[in-house]
Amino acid sequence: MALTEGMTLGFIAIARTTFDVPLAENVTAIAREHLQKMGFTLVGPDALVTNMDEAQAAAVDMVGDPPDMVILFQATFADSTMVMHIATEIDAPLLLWAVPEARTGGRLRLNSLCGINLAGHALTRAGIHYEYVYGEPDDAAALEKVTQVAAAARAYWALRGARIGSIGEHPAGFDTCDYDVEIIADRFGVEVVSIPLQGEFFPMAQKSSQKDANVAFEALRERVDGLDAVDDDSAKGTLRVYAAMQKLSTDEEFDGLAVRCWPEFFTELGCAACGAMSMMTDNGVPCSCEADVNGTITQMALQALSGEPAFGADVVAVDDERDGLVIWHCGLAPLSMADPEVRPQAALHSNRKLPLLMEFPLKPGRVTVARFSEATGSYRLVIGSAEMLRAPKSFSGTSGVLKFDRPAAAILDTILSEGLEHHISLTYGDHTIALMTLAKMLELPVL
């Protein structure tokens, strides 16, 4: 529930005075109380909204500063006019909530369910997405559904208005990292800004202060072993890259970076970008290698859902003994993902033989895997759930063994048969329900 803290919910309880108003007020008060206990900040009228004038006033109060999500609490039956007005005026994800009532053989006191049925039909005809809850205002399952929808709303807003810096272009032959700036802006609300390597970013990195590099070096010494065993100038080159990435992200208000990490960082700067990207991702600015913009967008969404860093990796092998898939990348995973039983190492790139990379096996635990994929020519959201197993380092760099909820061979068959991208993104925790909800908010099909 921690991720609900700080989120603002527009809460509007709709009713008709011909139904049981005292009961409607009671269930509304219980719902408000539980949502506030969960950490939500509620905005909107305290009293029941019973006519169009009150509905219009409630909407006006939220139009200028939309909440993270709007809950239309169907305290009693009402026709769809108030719901439709609110839904069309307030630009925010929408949740309809109906409450059950006792079947006494007597008066239908609320008729709440029929109310959201009517509203749902009108919203669907108008092409307005909504989620719904049917449950008592203190029901654990109902409140968990609210939490999941709120998490999806958090990810939705994390993308809308976000800015990504694409440092260089993706390497030739890496069609999996291709992207279209206009489609991304239209689909996700994300602005992608191109940053030339040689003309802009490399001069920034070369001008970065040696003092900043030394400070970062000493701070990193507390988290990794082997810093003194790698070439000092090259390692501090990576840390100057890190300083330049920090400055660029702050100055340009970038929420993520997609970096052409090879070959130019090695051939022109004499160092690896991997360690710098690892540190940036740990700081909450997710980075993808090979200028994989869609990978960075996926990491941003996962980070918003989990409140923890997200990492992009390749699938490189099948672990037959554990029935798992081996994921790997050179050394850009955030240090917070390291297995606590293994001390991370400062390392050289396995092919280029230059520092600075982070080397460790990934920590065990439940993970969510995802990718905003364009394999079919249009976007869909690929979602998976798996257990990261405790396993020895598979290869140099950062690696882990994923045991999915289906056999490894079946997962691999899906990846290859569907022609999916070679990068997948993951974060810790099970966020599959929230991701499914996010896909509906973004009107994306799901694999």
Side-chain angles (χ1 to χ4, degrees), residues 3 24 48 60 87 96 158 210 218 228 230 242 246 248 295 304 319 332 413 419 439 443 446-447:
L3 287 180
L48 299 177
V60 165
L96 307 178
Q210 185 65 41
E218 292 305 317
D228 294 324
V230 299
Y242 169 60
Q246 283 187 306
L248 182 66
D319 184 326
L332 80 160
D413 180 68
E443 299 181 350
V446 171
L447 173 61

Side-chain angles (χ1 to χ4, degrees), residues 137-152:
D138 57 355
D139 178 68
L143 294 170
E144 176 61 22
K145 176 69 178 287
V146 174
T147 300
Q148 294 293 334
V149 177

